[in-house]
Amino acid sequence: MSITMTKQDFGTKPVERRETDNYVREYVEPFVDKWDELIDWDSRAASEGDFFIQVLKERGAKRVLDVATGTGFHSILLREAGFDVVSADGSAQMLAKAFDNGRKRGHILRTTQADWRELNRDIYGRYDAVVCLGNSFTHLFNEHDRRKALAEFYSALNHDGLLILDQRNYDAILDHGYSSAHTFYYCGDNVSVHPEHVDPGLTRFRYAFPDQSVYHLNMYPLRKAYVRRLMREVGFQGIETYGDFKETYQEKEPDFFIHVADKRYTGDKA
């Protein structure tokens, strides 16, 4: 029997809570209920445009595994664009919210609760694409977990499949400080998002809502080059990295990087 948590648990020293499994104590029901207020689906859809849809269509993808479903934004967007989508997440609370959001829009999402490190134990078949969006990969706090998760994504793909994975521009945060000049991902009005602690092993974000409620997420600050290197070492090739959905950008300008990585074998190509 599962227990619904209503308060986040970071222990007595929150900035020392640096383990992957703590995410289940972070996405408590009241915070999940406010998540859609944070991202604002209509504004986010307008800011993203059809970027992900076009990338998937250009690669001929049809069957998509959304491994960071959250409250269902991308799963529903991709379903409405004609893709065959399976929705997975490590948080039961997020999946329940996603299922409810799908039902309200006339969709029955196929949801699976899964730990990325054992993804192929809980999902079945192979996919043309795996998408890991919403800065979710940053919840993995040690390299072994990151390598294992990427290996599981790789294994879940067909031989010519692709992985789309995004992350905050932690390089800019670590090297130049935080800027929220762009709001491609968190578009909600009157919701304040900023890091209240940053060091090479932790970025602790604070989320403040209009009703005065405050929540936090502890995340590992992934550097862009490091993520690309891990992808290559796991076996992905032909990695393209976009900055806020653009092919060309100044390194410190984007809020988010989006990596598009091919599984198909291309020999010696980077």
Side-chain angles (χ1 to χ4, degrees):
M1 181 172 125
S2 61
I3 299 173
T4 300
M5 295 179 292
T6 59
K7 292 184 179 180
Q8 292 184 314
D9 179 9
F10 290 97
T12 57
K13 297 179 179 179
V15 298
E16 294 182 11
R17 183 56 65 88
R18 306 179 184 210
E19 63 268 8
T20 298
D21 293 324
N22 199 64
Y23 77 89
V24 297
R25 301 180 184 90
E26 298 175 22
Y27 288 105
V28 294
E29 188 171 1
F31 189 25
V32 169
D33 285 341
K34 292 181 178 297
W35 197 254
D36 292 335
E37 185 179 340
L38 170 67
I39 66 173
D40 188 329
W41 285 37
D42 292 337
S43 296
R44 183 166 179 177
S47 69
E48 288 187 4
D50 61 354
F51 177 85
F52 295 111
I53 293 168
Q54 288 303 313
V55 169
L56 291 167
K57 285 186 174 179
E58 286 169 6
R59 309 300 177 92
K62 293 180 173 61
R63 192 161 191 249
V64 179
L65 175 63
D66 180 0
V67 296
T69 296
T71 58
F73 175 79
H74 286 106
S75 283
I76 292 169
L77 182 78
L78 294 174
R79 280 180 62 101
E80 291 178 345
F83 295 97
D84 178 13
V85 183
V86 171
S87 307
D89 201 284
S91 166
Q93 267 79 343
M94 281 290 197
L95 285 175
K97 186 71 171 177
F99 189 86
D100 188 50
N101 281 336
R103 196 172 41 128
K104 288 175 181 176
R105 290 164 174 78
H107 305 287
I108 302 298
L109 296 186
R110 287 176 291 165
T111 60
T112 300
Q113 186 174 359
D115 185 316
W116 296 338
R117 296 162 293 185
E118 298 178 308
L119 181 67
N120 289 276
R121 178 194 63 184
D122 298 315
I123 59 105
Y124 301 96
R126 292 293 175 265
Y127 298 82
D128 302 317
V130 169
V131 297
C132 181
L133 304 175
N135 194 42
S136 302
F137 198 66
T138 194
H139 283 299
L140 302 176
F141 267 87
N142 66 68
E143 184 164 316
H144 180 76
D145 287 344
R146 290 188 282 272
R147 287 183 181 276
K148 185 63 166 69
L150 286 173
E152 291 287 317
F153 297 166
Y154 188 93
S155 180
L157 287 166
N158 288 321
H159 70 94
D160 58 349
L162 73 150
L163 169 67
I164 305 177
L165 183 150
D166 72 10
Q167 63 170 102
R168 275 192 180 275
N169 183 354
Y170 288 108
D171 293 78
I173 293 173
L174 290 166
D175 298 337
H176 307 288
Y178 177 69
S179 169
S180 58
H182 309 289
T183 53
F184 289 102
Y185 277 62
Y186 302 116
C187 307
D189 292 332
N190 303 315
V191 181
S192 171
V193 181
H194 72 272
E196 64 177 27
H197 176 89
V198 178
D199 67 49
L202 175 71
T203 304
R204 179 171 169 80
F205 271 89
R206 181 181 188 271
Y207 301 80
F209 293 87
D211 65 359
Q212 309 305 311
S213 60
V214 175
Y215 299 91
H216 294 83
L217 290 176
N218 279 9
M219 294 178 282
Y220 185 86
L222 297 160
R223 287 192 177 271
K224 182 185 78 168
Y226 169 77
V227 174
R228 287 171 57 88
R229 175 172 64 79
L230 285 186
M231 286 178 165
R232 285 197 187 94
E233 290 176 357
V234 167
F236 288 103
Q237 300 190 37
I239 302 165
E240 297 178 73
T241 299
Y242 300 81
D244 288 342
F245 314 109
K246 298 175 183 177
E247 289 187 70
T248 59
Y249 50 87
Q250 296 292 324
E251 287 296 318
K252 68 178 183 179
E253 284 183 354
D255 276 357
F256 277 76
F257 293 123
I258 303 102
H259 308 287
V260 180
D262 280 315
K263 178 177 179 175
R264 58 188 164 191
Y265 184 64
T266 57
D268 294 333
K269 294 180 182 178

